[in-house]
Amino acid sequence: MFSRFLILLSAALLATSSPLLQAASKAGDDITTLPAFSVSEETADDSFDATGMGAVDEEMSDPVFSNELTSIDFDSDPTISGDTEVELGAIDTDSPSERALGQSQLKLRGFPTPSLRNSYLRVGLPRAVNINRVIVIEGPLVPVLGRAAPGGIQNFLTWRPRATAQQSLEFLTTSRDRQRAAARTNGTLIAKRLWQRVAVEWTLRNGPEQFSRQETSSLSAALTWRHNRAASTMVSFDFSHLLARVPPGIPRYRPTAGAKIAGPYLPLALFNSNGPHAAVRRDTGVLNVQSERQLSRIFAMRASAEAWWAHTDQDRFTSPVLVLDRGVFEGVREPRHIEQPSQTLAAQIEFTARFHIAKTEHKLLLTAAQTWGSQSRLERALSTADRAAQPADVRTFDPAAPNYTAPAYDPLVYSRVITDRDERARFSAAELGDRVALGRGIVVLTGGARYDAVTLHVTDAKPGSARPLLEDHATRLSFHSGLNWQIQRNRLLLFATASSGFDPATRVDGRTGLIQPHESTLGYELGLRGRLATGRFEYSASSFLLYNRDIARRNPLYDDPIADANQTQPQLVAAGRERYTGVRLDARWHFNPQWQLAVRGVEMQAATTDSPDLPQEVGRAVPRLPGETASLVLRRRPAQKGSGWTGSLALSYVGAYVANYEDARQLEVDYPGYALLNAGVGRIWRHGPRSLEISLGLRNALARDLLASNARVGAGRELTWSTRLLF
């Protein structure tokens, strides 16, 4: 069905290209206006990247395929997003350990679309590190960059050396015992040839839960060598270390033994049943070599090689349910030890050809990527005899008199193997697409296809495993098409996209080792983007329709001390389907160079259309995904390169949502929508290349009690103080 749609859409675009080209040729006498190119204070190259590594930014501002309207950034601008993204991330999972490790439920239910790192295909790779900013490729950016997927493609752009020497120091502290410090240096080692960037960062968060502490430190270093006017190479290394003591979340409770789980027990919201010794430790390292080369006037090449490794250890207790009338946790509580090492090697190459045919300009993109990865998961517990020999108040846990005693980890003591699995995977991807500009960019079309292949070998060494070896191979072809039509040059733009997506990162059930179905998605988007002649008001309105297929769901019985006492429950269940329909509005009004008002609103209906193992969700809203979000932000900053006061006032709204639906084990838990008001004030002093900025912020200024209304820990009023020095 989708391939037929693409054929019909392509035919329609070809059929309409003649009148569009006529309209474009009439408008072709207008003077072509180059889009404004904005840079941050740290990236002071105003016109181009003298290091030769600025291909991504140059493509974003291409004067033929882009225009002033496509250069409007509504997605990565914090002014317009307010704090809704932060709130959605907090709602997405109630597990502190998942948040500490950067994991998300949206990986299990959401848009299974590919991601990019510095515009290179990422297949089979963990999350990107050393992120400077994120470009979401959707809407008008699809014909500009020649890529698309339903829900948008996230392109993670990393920090890199710049030609202008600059150093920075940053510090932040808050009233809720959170701190952050960072230092960066950027400069020239050999004039017009070699540049460097080194950055260190440290963050610390204590509480608010008992014993809770999360500390992260990171180091990033990069060198860029410009061989000649047409070629440059960058080598970078990133390392991060995480050490965290995190609770399992607010304990859930039953009023009486045998009753359904009623939800989180708020009187124990700050109680940490893991105790003072349970911890999460993770070390991550990434080595990357990236090259950009202009082969000729027509052809350009980009290539990258990346080595990635990580090692994660966890020591924790199982998380049983509180039986309220007895005052103790049900089932047998026991300690666990988990190890997850992984290694990945990836290579990507990209060719771009730019040429003219008749009165059209083309930009052909051909990319290929190959990834080899391996990871292991080892989970151990005490032997049945040793578990039974633990003190009674350890096995039957009383939060009023907690006993956190657990033997130190030793493979001979933790001899019961729950999971012992090795995975080896090979991912291949190839992409071919074309962008066509008519009438000097009045109309821009794009179309392309992507091929993915994944081969997976799973070795299960758990004693008595029924499936010691599993293998899987899958291939998938996905498509995209898009249109940008400047109804009025640089004033009004019509955009439309149709695309499919596929997640080649095959999921393996953490308990059973079974390979899950491959997730895929299909979507359409139609919208308008405009700017008034004065340039002070800009807006975007769009509607979308998206379908997700084969979405794995987390098993609610997994690791339950009663239902999963013998560790037989699978981690994942179902192969669900979802449908998303909605509209989105963005607008920004620049009163003058200092003041601006931004607004964003999203209305979405997200429903589960099929879920074999969780039938109670069929026909109902997708859990933990609010249907409405909105933000209104008023902001003041001094004119560029000027000194003065700064200020902001942000109102964010998140609609009501369902945490979980009722089933045979638990009751339905719903949470109401809420609004948050955040405020900030500060001052910037600038003198030549040097600047000092001091800011005070007040989060949740009206002190809304999100713990009582939405079971959110640590979301109360918070005062922040930050400073940044550039020199």
Side-chain angles (χ1 to χ4, degrees):
M1 178 179 178
F2 181 61
S3 59
R4 294 178 183 175
F5 174 82
L6 286 177
I7 295 172
L8 291 175
L9 178 62
S10 302
L13 292 177
L14 290 173
T16 58
S17 62
S18 178
L20 292 179
L21 184 55
Q22 293 176 9
S25 59
K26 290 180 181 179
D29 296 332
D30 297 340
I31 297 175
T32 301
T33 303
L34 295 179
F37 181 64
S38 60
V39 294
S40 66
E41 290 184 81
E42 184 170 347
T43 58
D45 300 310
D46 293 326
S47 58
F48 72 101
D49 187 346
T51 68
M53 297 300 295
V56 176
D57 291 326
E58 291 170 7
E59 190 170 43
M60 293 278 291
S61 58
D62 188 304
V64 176
F65 293 91
S66 69
N67 53 69
E68 290 184 9
L69 299 177
T70 62
S71 299
I72 298 174
D73 188 1
F74 285 121
D75 289 298
S76 60
D77 183 0
T79 303
I80 196 168
S81 62
D83 291 277
T84 54
E85 297 299 324
V86 176
E87 294 303 309
L88 290 175
I91 291 170
D92 179 48
T93 176
D94 58 0
S95 169
S97 62
E98 287 188 357
R99 287 196 294 268
L101 291 172
Q103 297 171 341
S104 169
Q105 290 264 33
L106 287 178
K107 293 180 181 179
L108 298 180
R109 60 167 89 247
F111 302 110
T113 54
S115 64
L116 308 173
R117 180 183 185 272
N118 294 333
S119 289
Y120 292 106
L121 295 179
R122 289 180 58 82
V123 288
L125 286 167
R127 64 188 183 93
V129 296
N130 187 31
I131 299 171
N132 176 10
R133 61 192 176 107
V134 181
I135 297 173
V136 181
I137 304 175
E138 60 182 354
L141 279 183
V142 169
V144 175
L145 300 179
R147 285 171 164 145
I153 298 175
Q154 288 185 308
N155 186 9
F156 298 96
L157 302 184
T158 61
W159 291 103
R160 66 179 190 269
R162 296 286 184 163
T164 302
Q166 190 173 70
Q167 291 74 43
S168 68
L169 297 173
E170 298 178 22
F171 180 73
L172 176 142
T173 186
T174 81
S175 59
R176 291 187 172 268
D177 203 2
R178 307 180 197 187
Q179 291 85 39
R180 175 181 175 271
R184 304 184 182 97
T185 179
N186 185 99
T188 303
L189 297 179
I190 301 177
K192 299 182 180 181
R193 285 292 183 184
L194 183 64
W195 297 267
Q196 59 82 25
R197 182 183 184 274
V198 178
V200 293
E201 184 173 341
W202 169 83
T203 62
L204 176 66
R205 173 178 176 173
N206 287 304
E209 300 95 338
Q210 188 181 24
F211 311 123
S212 179
R213 177 183 173 90
Q214 182 175 328
E215 184 176 14
T216 305
S217 53
S218 62
L219 167 67
S220 297
L223 290 172
T224 296
W225 174 261
R226 186 157 194 174
H227 308 281
N228 50 53
R229 293 174 58 88
S232 293
T233 299
M234 180 178 71
V235 179
S236 63
F237 175 74
D238 302 287
F239 174 80
S240 66
H241 171 73
L242 167 71
L243 178 60
R245 294 196 303 264
V246 293
I250 302 176
R252 296 181 301 163
Y253 77 98
R254 306 178 193 270
T256 60
K260 290 186 177 182
I261 298 173
Y265 188 61
L266 298 185
L268 292 181
L270 302 183
F271 179 74
N272 186 350
S273 62
N274 275 337
H277 307 299
V280 176
R281 297 164 294 273
R282 183 182 64 191
D283 291 320
T284 304
V286 182
L287 177 63
N288 181 270
V289 180
Q290 183 175 319
S291 178
E292 297 184 2
R293 186 177 297 269
Q294 188 72 36
L295 300 177
S296 68
R297 185 178 59 86
I298 296 176
F299 295 102
M301 183 193 75
R302 302 173 68 239
S304 174
E306 183 176 348
W308 198 101
W309 65 270
H311 193 283
T312 303
D313 285 346
Q314 292 188 60
D315 290 294
R316 60 177 178 83
F317 284 92
T318 53
S319 305
V321 176
L322 177 68
V323 181
L324 197 58
D325 64 341
R326 294 177 53 199
V328 298
F329 287 96
E330 67 182 4
V332 177
R333 179 173 174 272
E334 60 174 325
R336 298 279 179 83
H337 177 80
I338 302 171
E339 296 181 12
Q340 292 177 278
S342 61
Q343 303 84 34
T344 306
L345 182 63
Q348 305 96 7
I349 191 167
E350 173 185 300
F351 292 96
T352 301
R354 187 163 184 165
F355 53 91
H356 298 268
I357 298 179
K359 295 183 179 181
T360 64
E361 184 159 351
H362 292 253
K363 190 184 285 188
L364 192 68
L365 175 68
L366 174 63
T367 64
Q370 185 79 24
T371 302
W372 301 267
S374 65
Q375 67 175 2
S376 302
R377 180 182 175 91
L378 175 65
E379 183 173 0
R380 289 175 171 268
L382 299 176
S383 68
T384 305
D386 288 338
R387 183 180 62 180
Q390 291 292 298
D393 56 354
V394 171
R395 292 180 287 112
T396 304
F397 192 68
D398 182 357
N403 185 344
Y404 300 113
T405 302
Y409 176 70
D410 185 318
L412 298 178
V413 177
Y414 288 73
S415 58
R416 181 160 53 96
V417 176
I418 296 173
T419 303
D420 186 0
R421 189 179 64 249
D422 294 316
E423 302 172 21
R424 291 184 297 108
R426 185 178 73 250
F427 302 90
S428 303
E431 189 176 26
L432 177 63
D434 190 17
R435 283 157 282 180
V436 183
L438 312 174
R440 296 167 60 186
I442 288 293
V443 176
V444 179
L445 308 174
T446 185
R450 170 170 167 162
Y451 174 81
D452 285 281
V454 55
T455 301
L456 182 66
H457 301 271
V458 180
T459 303
D460 193 344
K462 179 182 177 180
S465 172
R467 305 176 185 88
L469 179 62
L470 287 173
E471 295 183 349
D472 179 67
H473 179 75
T475 61
R476 189 71 59 90
L477 192 65
S478 54
F479 306 88
H480 82 264
S481 61
L483 160 71
N484 279 351
W485 176 19
Q486 293 191 72
I487 300 173
Q488 184 178 3
R489 183 183 285 275
N490 293 328
R491 294 294 175 260
L492 183 61
L493 173 74
L494 171 71
F495 61 89
T497 66
S499 59
S500 63
F502 168 65
D503 186 2
T506 305
R507 306 191 187 283
V508 178
D509 191 289
R511 174 64 54 74
T512 65
L514 291 176
I515 300 170
Q516 304 300 301
H518 296 270
E519 301 177 354
S520 61
T521 186
L522 166 69
Y524 314 93
E525 185 179 11
L526 176 68
L528 289 170
R529 177 171 291 185
R531 170 184 281 167
L532 297 187
T534 60
R536 292 187 176 183
F537 184 77
E538 48 205 24
Y539 60 91
S540 180
S542 62
S543 61
F544 55 87
L545 172 62
L546 309 169
Y547 298 95
N548 286 345
R549 300 168 180 168
D550 296 324
I551 304 298
R553 308 296 182 91
R554 189 179 298 277
N555 181 7
L557 302 180
Y558 178 70
D559 239 3
D560 184 275
I562 301 298
D564 196 21
N566 296 320
Q567 293 81 49
T568 57
Q569 289 284 344
Q571 180 191 28
L572 305 172
V573 296
R577 296 190 177 193
E578 301 164 344
R579 182 185 68 249
Y580 296 75
T581 58
V583 295
R584 168 177 161 175
L585 173 67
D586 294 299
R588 189 162 45 201
W589 183 16
H590 302 268
F591 302 110
N592 54 46
Q594 292 82 36
W595 288 91
Q596 74 173 39
L597 178 69
V599 63
R600 164 173 291 175
V602 178
E603 172 74 28
M604 178 173 59
Q605 294 181 351
T608 301
T609 58
D610 185 30
S611 184
D613 295 320
L614 301 172
Q616 69 273 12
E617 295 188 5
V618 175
R620 309 180 74 178
V622 173
R624 295 194 173 275
L625 189 60
E628 304 89 21
T629 59
S631 62
L632 180 68
V633 182
L634 178 65
R635 185 187 185 202
R636 185 195 190 280
R637 288 188 69 83
Q640 189 175 14
K641 298 183 180 179
S643 301
W645 292 96
T646 66
S648 65
L649 195 64
L651 180 65
S652 301
Y653 173 76
V654 176
Y657 58 94
V658 179
N660 60 262
Y661 289 105
E662 183 174 2
D663 55 25
R665 181 171 171 266
Q666 60 188 353
L667 298 174
E668 181 173 323
V669 177
D670 303 296
Y671 292 119
Y674 60 89
L676 291 180
L677 180 66
N678 301 327
V681 65
R683 184 169 176 82
I684 298 177
W685 294 268
R686 290 191 176 100
H687 182 71
R690 296 177 292 276
S691 70
L692 173 64
E693 181 174 1
I694 298 177
S695 302
L696 286 174
L698 186 62
R699 178 171 171 78
N700 193 0
L702 302 181
R704 182 181 180 95
D705 190 353
L706 290 181
L707 176 60
S709 62
N710 294 72
R712 287 273 308 282
V713 176
R717 179 186 288 163
E718 183 175 22
L719 179 66
T720 67
W721 177 82
S722 64
T723 182
R724 182 174 68 159
L725 175 65
L726 298 177
F727 57 97

